[in-house]
Amino acid sequence: MPDNHASVPLRELNNGAFMPSIGLGTWPLDDAQAGAAVVHGLEAGYRLIDTAENYNNEIGIGEGIGSTSVPREELFITSKFNAKWHSVDGVRDAWEHSCTRLGVEYLDLFLIHWPNPAQGRYVEAWEGLVKLLKAGRVRAIGTSNFTTEQLQELIHATGVVPDVNQIQHSPYWIDDERLAFHAGHGIVTEAWGPLGRGKHNLLGAEPVVAAAHAHKVTPAQAVLRWHVQRGVVPIPKSADPERMAQNLDVFSFDLTPEQVLAIDALDGTAGEPVSPMEFGH
């Protein structure tokens, strides 16, 4: 299997780290599945690995990473922590637990998994992340599922802008207002569920199929290329080595502006996305 990691462009983040432009998602794989997926993913050329405390697969991912010869400095390991750690000291504890499970000494990116506004402590959690960043325990810090208003609160409270906001993003859920806020503050948009997670048949949608046919690629490749051309970092999940390699191979063709616009037109046609105001770990 070809090693494609050299062909994956890097994105410079606000706080100085460099992040691959596509990554490997690992939800809802268990430890054994995630460990095997990481081994195959690293062989295919992935260097960005995304997990979370709530996925319950950090141990397996750590074992997968440890069984390969890829140097640690080539990897970009992301994890996320749950609501119970939303305090300055709690974030340090969450970091220690994730590092132990993953078998690493630092994280490349650490995210608040959900804002949990009813709890109302995400600013404290952000302050804890800022402390970890300044102490060199993480290379980059960010959020997941945050609204523009919540992001603004974090920036106002600390003066530190998140490197990344990981959100539900696909042709069905674009959220131009939030993307514009990210772009205006240098926040990288990272997409969970970039292929629609099998719902509403995104990969069978006419503009996706047409773009794939025109470029002789799979529908998944067409959608992932759509993300990349919009400046978004997708993290598709797959446990299949062939599909992993295909998903990574999206830097050798360009969708036309017309194809991008046709796929954009799917926005809002598949119901409401998950609300960060109501759901969270």
Side-chain angles (χ1 to χ4, degrees):
M1 184 180 295
D3 183 340
N4 292 317
H5 90 271
S7 67
V8 177
L10 299 177
R11 299 283 299 274
E12 185 171 6
L13 304 179
N14 274 326
N15 291 303
F18 288 84
M19 173 184 184
S21 295
I22 192 169
L24 181 67
T26 63
W27 184 88
L29 304 177
D30 63 22
D31 277 319
Q33 293 167 330
V38 165
V39 171
H40 291 308
L42 294 178
E43 289 175 349
Y46 287 91
R47 293 297 180 263
L48 164 55
I49 307 297
D50 181 86
T51 184
E53 173 188 3
N54 212 67
Y55 299 172
N56 294 311
N57 61 18
E58 288 175 311
I59 291 174
I61 286 172
E63 291 172 349
I65 290 169
S67 71
T68 74
S69 59
V70 177
R72 172 67 183 92
E73 59 270 20
E74 282 190 17
L75 301 176
F76 194 89
I77 301 171
T78 301
S79 195
K80 319 173 195 74
F81 58 89
N82 289 349
K84 69 177 182 178
W85 308 110
H86 281 203
S87 67
V88 174
D89 292 336
V91 170
R92 172 61 185 254
D93 291 339
W95 172 85
E96 288 181 351
H97 294 317
S98 278
C99 285
T100 297
R101 289 188 292 264
L102 286 161
V104 298
E105 295 183 354
Y106 66 94
L107 294 173
D108 297 277
L109 177 63
F110 206 22
L111 306 177
I112 305 173
H113 201 159
W114 290 86
N116 294 286
Q119 180 178 267
R121 296 173 63 186
Y122 54 81
V123 172
E124 292 176 60
W126 184 245
E127 291 169 347
L129 279 176
V130 171
K131 286 189 70 172
L132 285 179
L133 179 69
K134 291 180 177 177
R137 307 296 185 184
V138 294
R139 296 175 61 221
I141 57 176
T143 54
S144 183
N145 303 298
F146 272 57
T147 66
T148 57
E149 293 80 7
Q150 290 161 346
L151 292 170
Q152 191 63 66
E153 279 187 74
L154 304 184
I155 297 167
H156 179 75
T158 63
V160 178
V161 179
D163 289 294
V164 169
N165 189 27
Q166 185 183 116
I167 62 173
Q168 184 178 18
H169 181 273
S170 80
Y172 286 140
W173 299 296
I174 296 177
D175 197 347
D176 280 320
E177 181 182 349
R178 185 153 51 167
L179 296 181
F181 181 91
H182 291 175
H185 291 79
I187 300 169
V188 169
T189 304
E190 192 173 26
W192 65 260
L195 300 176
R197 292 198 164 171
K199 298 179 180 177
H200 312 294
N201 194 27
L202 173 62
L203 300 185
E206 191 280 328
V208 171
V209 173
H213 179 75
H215 294 280
K216 297 181 173 58
V217 297
T218 68
Q221 286 174 304
V223 172
L224 293 171
R225 182 64 201 174
W226 171 87
H227 283 279
V228 168
Q229 286 184 220
R230 281 181 133 268
V232 173
V233 174
I235 44 172
K237 186 277 297 180
S238 179
D240 178 80
E242 182 179 4
R243 196 170 299 120
M244 283 184 193
Q246 290 173 344
N247 289 348
L248 193 65
D249 185 18
V250 294
F251 299 98
S252 60
F253 67 97
D254 287 297
L255 302 181
T256 66
E258 293 76 18
Q259 288 164 346
V260 171
L261 285 172
I263 295 173
D264 286 352
L266 295 171
D267 184 32
T269 62
E272 291 297 316
V274 175
S275 172
M277 305 303 291
E278 300 169 6
F279 182 80
H281 305 308

